[in-house]
Amino acid sequence: MQKLRVDLVSDVACPWCAIGYRRFEQALEILDGEIDVELFWQPFELNRDMPPEGEPILEHLCRKYGKDAASMEQSQREIMAVAEELGLNFRGALERRANNTFDAHRVLAWAATQNRETALQLALFEAYFGEAKRPSDPEVLREKAIEVGLDGDVAEAIARSDQYADDVREAEQKFMEAGVTAVPGFILDGRYLISGAQPADVLVDALRQVAEENASR
């Protein structure tokens, strides 16, 4: 069975990242027994300069995209419908605030050393889009870490420190230099970038193509 590395550049504040990962899961279900995919989450900050308190999501999106509140709310509701079809909890999406996620990425870097990063990523998607909680809040990180079987005290301590800061910054820089300017971004075998929350069949075709190329080397 072919082995294939996939780097998923993502932000827990990105709705399409949650949707994209779910579609990726669907692709892996189709490829079960055909390709052995090893997934590595990579950090990206949509709101790098956002102050800790953040701002209401519609207000933020209107300013960012230059559109009126009604248009942005409709757009968000459309995203919520897509997420719901995939079984994702986006019930709190309109109540969330635009937040910086650097501290969440630092705790996620630690979770990766415990082989629990995917579980914590999904829990933070749920916290942010389902419960409208701030993903970099140390108490939220503690709560979600415990939910996925991690040490909550350690997670909170990391969130309140600067641990893993260099690792996150280094990874962010590496993938920006690799051409990732928006998320989600799937990098297959360190060579091919697939941008956006592509349908499962598109991901299946891409993964098969890269695996076939590797097999013919």
Side-chain angles (χ1 to χ4, degrees):
M1 185 164 55
Q2 281 286 323
K3 288 190 175 182
L4 192 63
R5 175 185 176 119
V6 174
D7 290 283
L8 173 48
V9 187
S10 170
D11 191 358
V12 294
C14 166
W16 289 109
C17 292
I19 290 168
Y21 176 72
R22 179 63 191 119
R23 290 173 173 172
F24 179 70
E25 281 187 316
Q26 292 175 331
L28 295 186
E29 290 167 7
I30 295 169
L31 293 168
D32 184 37
E34 182 179 341
I35 301 174
D36 180 14
V37 173
E38 189 173 15
L39 176 66
F40 296 86
W41 293 85
Q42 304 295 346
F44 190 95
E45 292 174 72
L46 287 174
N47 303 307
R48 178 173 289 204
D49 300 320
M50 185 67 65
E53 66 274 12
E55 64 179 331
I57 191 61
L58 290 181
E59 179 182 321
H60 170 73
L61 293 174
C62 287
R63 180 170 54 79
K64 182 175 181 178
Y65 295 109
K67 295 186 178 181
D68 62 86
S71 297
M72 291 314 309
E73 180 174 346
Q74 178 59 29
S75 175
Q76 289 296 295
R77 290 194 182 280
E78 290 170 0
I79 293 172
M80 291 165 70
V82 173
E84 184 178 354
E85 288 177 3
L86 292 167
L88 299 170
N89 176 10
F90 268 44
R91 287 189 293 272
L94 289 175
E95 287 72 49
R96 76 190 195 275
R97 298 175 71 84
N99 290 125
N100 173 270
T101 52
F102 184 65
D103 291 344
H105 285 302
R106 292 192 299 101
V107 175
L108 284 163
W110 162 71
T113 70
Q114 310 298 307
N115 297 315
R116 299 298 293 161
E117 186 176 19
T118 294
L120 186 56
Q121 287 273 1
L122 300 183
L124 290 175
F125 282 142
E126 174 99 4
Y128 187 56
F129 297 107
E131 304 165 10
K133 293 181 177 179
R134 184 166 68 88
S136 280
D137 184 329
E139 294 183 3
V140 172
L141 288 162
R142 173 190 176 85
E143 171 194 343
K144 295 303 173 181
I146 292 171
E147 280 185 14
V148 301
L150 290 166
D151 189 319
D153 290 341
V154 173
E156 182 175 359
I158 291 169
R160 296 186 185 280
S161 73
D162 61 356
Q163 289 180 266
Y164 295 95
D166 290 344
D167 302 83
V168 171
R169 291 290 186 225
E170 182 179 335
E172 287 177 330
Q173 186 63 32
K174 173 183 176 181
F175 287 94
M176 283 191 290
E177 290 176 355
V180 179
T181 58
V183 286
F186 296 85
I187 299 177
L188 313 186
D189 197 37
R191 296 182 291 145
Y192 298 103
L193 170 62
I194 299 176
S195 296
Q198 301 294 334
D201 60 343
V202 172
L203 294 169
V204 167
D205 289 346
L207 290 163
R208 280 178 173 155
Q209 180 180 339
V210 177
E212 287 169 5
E213 288 180 9
N214 289 348
S216 64
R217 285 181 178 179

